[in-house]
């Protein structure tokens, strides 16, 4: 009989793997895009577009990956995903032309779908049972260090070896560290509370389709997607918005850097509250902070105010990650978790991929105040949909059967 994995070892392993995976597969590119552009004469916009293409593919691939994890267990999918991600980074490093550079990031995107948050959240939601909220918070807090660690590492490697050498080294780091973690501490098969292997539910093959088409699911999906689009479009473009209001570039960069601190605070807040009350608070913070940024963008150049607003927006963004991680399991249980969360996360991932371009386009076409107000409107609509989905009366399908509470 299979033994239940030790929760502490699994949690530590997921923390380490998420830091390294996010650092190599996500944050390395933004940190080195200027150097890549200088060497290749491709524009930063084109380079970012290639990266976004990989993220969009990862959103689409997350659905079959989730279904595979439900049926075959998480170890194989996540270990193979790590190898594919490393292969994608190697392809990025050796790409001789821009079309092949795009193709390389698409390969990396396939690896992201089985390596980053979505796969890790599925493991936590099923394995940790009633303690999944704390485990999700711990893993996302740890993963928040990825940019702090790997952005300067990628820059230093690029300075020493060039960007191609940098990505080769990062591919090696991903493969030799994360692949063994996934191959050893991730469960090979899903386990029940008694430690016996869990057999995927087959009694109702149409269950996923019914839930994914239900009004509560669609409302929650629209809500999280709308909030993600608004918050990411604004925070990624926070520096030009704040400099447009009169702040210096250094002051704007300081406020932007504190978005990450706000994310940590938001995730810590999430650990103390769940459900409709937390969703309401997050929605209120997001809308108020974004509307306040619209007022700030008119011309109030007070750095303390900018810092406070950046912290609030960051807190909303950090909490939203955990809402996305838990809302499906909280409502429908752990049966078919991988498949359902893959469907749920697809538009959210696409929204975060296109958000930087959306925000930049709005800033170019209008001004900071109008951009912030449009983002506030999107956040308000998304928040309303999220609250409607969270408070709607439960249908018999909203069952917690097959939950593996431990």
């Amino acid at each position: 009989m299979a033994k239940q994995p030790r929760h502490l070892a699994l949690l530590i392993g997921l923390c380490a793997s998420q830091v390294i995976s996010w650092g190599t597969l996500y944050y390395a590119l933004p940190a080195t895009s200027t150097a890549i552009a200088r060497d290749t004469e491709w524009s930063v916009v084109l380079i970012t577009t290639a990266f976004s293409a990989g993220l969009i593919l990862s959103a689409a691939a997350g659905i079959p990956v989730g279904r595979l994890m439900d049926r075959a267990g998480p170890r194989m999918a996540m270990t193979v995903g790590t190898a594919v991600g490393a292969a994608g980074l190697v392809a990025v490093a050796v790409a001789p032309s821009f079309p092949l550079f795009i193709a390389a990031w698409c390969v990396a995107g396939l690896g992201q779908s089985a390596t980053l948050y979505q796969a890790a959240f599925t493991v936590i939601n099923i394995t940790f049972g009633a303690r999944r909220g704390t485990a999700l918070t711990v893993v996302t807090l740890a993963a928040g260090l990825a940019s702090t660690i790997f952005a300067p590492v990628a820059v230093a490697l690029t300075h020493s070896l060039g960007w191609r050498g940098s990505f080769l080294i990062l591919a090696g780091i991903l493969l030799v560290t994360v692949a063994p973690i996934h191959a050893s501490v991730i469960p090979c098969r899903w386990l029940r509370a008694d430690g016996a292997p869990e057999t995927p539910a087959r009694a109702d093959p149409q269950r996923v389709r019914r839930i994914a088409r239900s009004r509560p699911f669609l409302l929650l999906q629209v809500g999280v997607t709308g909030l993600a689009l608004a918050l990411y479009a604004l925070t990624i473009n926070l520096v030009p918005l704040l400099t447009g209001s009169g702040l210096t570039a250094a002051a704007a960069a300081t406020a932007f850097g504190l978005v990450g601190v706000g994310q940590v605070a938001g995730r810590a807040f999430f650990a103390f509250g769940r459900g409709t009350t937390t969703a309401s608070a997050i929605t209120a913070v997001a809308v108020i902070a974004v509307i306040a940024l619209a007022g700030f963008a008119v011309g109030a150049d007070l750095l303390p105010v900018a810092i406070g607003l950046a912290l609030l927006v960051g807190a909303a963004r950090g909490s939203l990650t955990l809402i996305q991680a838990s809302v499906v399991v909280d409502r429908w249980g752990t049966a078919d978790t991988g498949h359902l969360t893959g469907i749920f996360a697809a538009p959210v991932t696409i929204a975060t991929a296109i958000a930087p371009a959306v925000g930049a386009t709005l800033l170019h076409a209008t001004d900071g105040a109008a951009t912030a107000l449009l983002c506030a409107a999107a956040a308000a609509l998304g928040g309303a949909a999220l609250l409607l989905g969270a408070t709607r009366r439960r249908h018999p399908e909203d069952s917690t059967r097959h939950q593996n509470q431990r």
Side-chain angles (χ1 to χ4, degrees):
M1 178 179 293
K3 294 183 179 180
Q4 184 174 354
R6 292 174 55 194
H7 285 177
L8 181 59
L10 177 58
L11 187 61
I12 292 173
L14 284 173
C15 287
S17 71
Q18 288 301 293
V19 169
I20 299 168
S21 297
W22 277 98
T24 56
L25 288 169
Y26 190 92
Y27 289 110
L29 188 280
T32 58
S33 58
T34 302
I36 296 172
R38 187 167 51 245
D39 180 61
T40 61
E41 297 185 354
W42 307 330
S43 71
V44 172
V45 173
L46 286 177
I47 292 167
T48 304
T49 299
F51 181 58
S52 296
L55 290 174
I56 291 171
L57 183 60
S58 77
I63 298 173
V65 167
R67 185 165 59 243
L68 175 64
M69 290 179 68
D70 285 336
R71 296 185 179 278
R75 179 182 294 177
M76 180 183 70
M78 295 184 71
T79 304
V80 172
T82 305
V84 171
L89 293 180
V90 171
V92 167
V94 300
S97 64
F98 184 69
L100 290 178
F101 186 78
I102 296 177
W105 274 112
C106 288
V107 174
L110 293 175
Q112 290 170 346
S113 68
T115 306
L116 299 183
Y117 272 157
Q118 206 53 50
F121 290 162
T122 298
V123 172
I124 291 171
N125 278 322
I126 294 178
T127 305
F128 282 82
R131 291 174 288 177
R132 62 179 177 269
T134 300
L136 288 169
T137 302
V138 170
V139 168
T140 53
L141 286 174
L145 298 173
S147 61
T148 304
I149 296 171
F150 277 91
V153 167
V155 170
L157 288 172
T158 299
H159 181 73
S160 300
L161 305 172
W163 71 270
R164 295 184 185 277
S166 174
F167 274 93
L168 286 174
I169 296 296
L170 292 171
I173 291 172
L174 178 66
L175 187 63
V176 303
T177 57
V178 177
I181 291 173
H182 287 167
S184 58
V185 304
I186 301 297
C188 182
R189 298 281 180 181
W190 299 122
L191 303 177
R192 297 199 306 261
D194 59 4
E198 174 69 272
T199 301
R202 306 279 187 182
D204 187 1
Q206 299 302 316
R207 178 175 182 267
V208 171
R209 179 175 295 181
R210 287 200 305 273
I211 291 175
R213 293 180 176 180
S214 68
R215 183 172 296 180
F217 187 94
L218 293 173
L219 284 169
L220 291 168
Q221 191 176 47
V222 168
V224 174
T225 301
L227 281 167
L229 180 62
L231 291 171
Y232 279 81
L234 195 65
T235 54
I236 296 299
N237 292 282
L238 193 60
V239 170
L241 186 148
L242 294 178
T243 53
S245 74
L247 287 182
T248 65
T254 299
F256 175 72
L258 290 173
V259 170
V261 176
Q263 286 189 145
V264 172
R267 288 168 182 171
F269 165 77
F270 184 88
F272 294 99
R274 301 284 293 278
T276 305
T277 301
T278 304
S280 301
I282 292 166
T283 299
V285 168
V287 175
I288 291 170
V290 176
I291 290 174
L293 276 171
F296 185 91
V298 172
D301 58 352
L302 297 175
L303 179 59
V305 176
I307 287 174
L309 294 176
L311 289 170
L312 284 177
V313 174
R317 203 174 95 170
S319 296
L320 187 66
T321 299
L322 290 169
I323 287 182
Q324 177 188 340
S326 59
V327 67
V328 172
V329 171
D330 286 348
R331 183 71 181 253
W332 288 281
T334 58
D336 307 304
T337 296
H339 195 181
L340 281 170
T341 54
I343 294 171
F344 187 88
V348 182
T349 303
I350 292 171
T352 57
I354 67 173
V358 170
T361 300
L362 289 173
L363 276 173
H364 178 74
T366 59
D367 56 24
T371 297
L373 284 174
L374 288 171
C375 288
L381 291 173
L386 177 62
L387 294 178
L388 284 173
T391 58
R392 187 173 177 81
R393 180 176 296 179
R394 287 179 178 267
H395 185 273
E397 188 68 62
D398 299 0
S399 168
T400 56
R401 63 186 181 278
H402 304 299
Q403 280 195 338
N404 301 326
Q405 301 295 337
R406 290 170 170 80

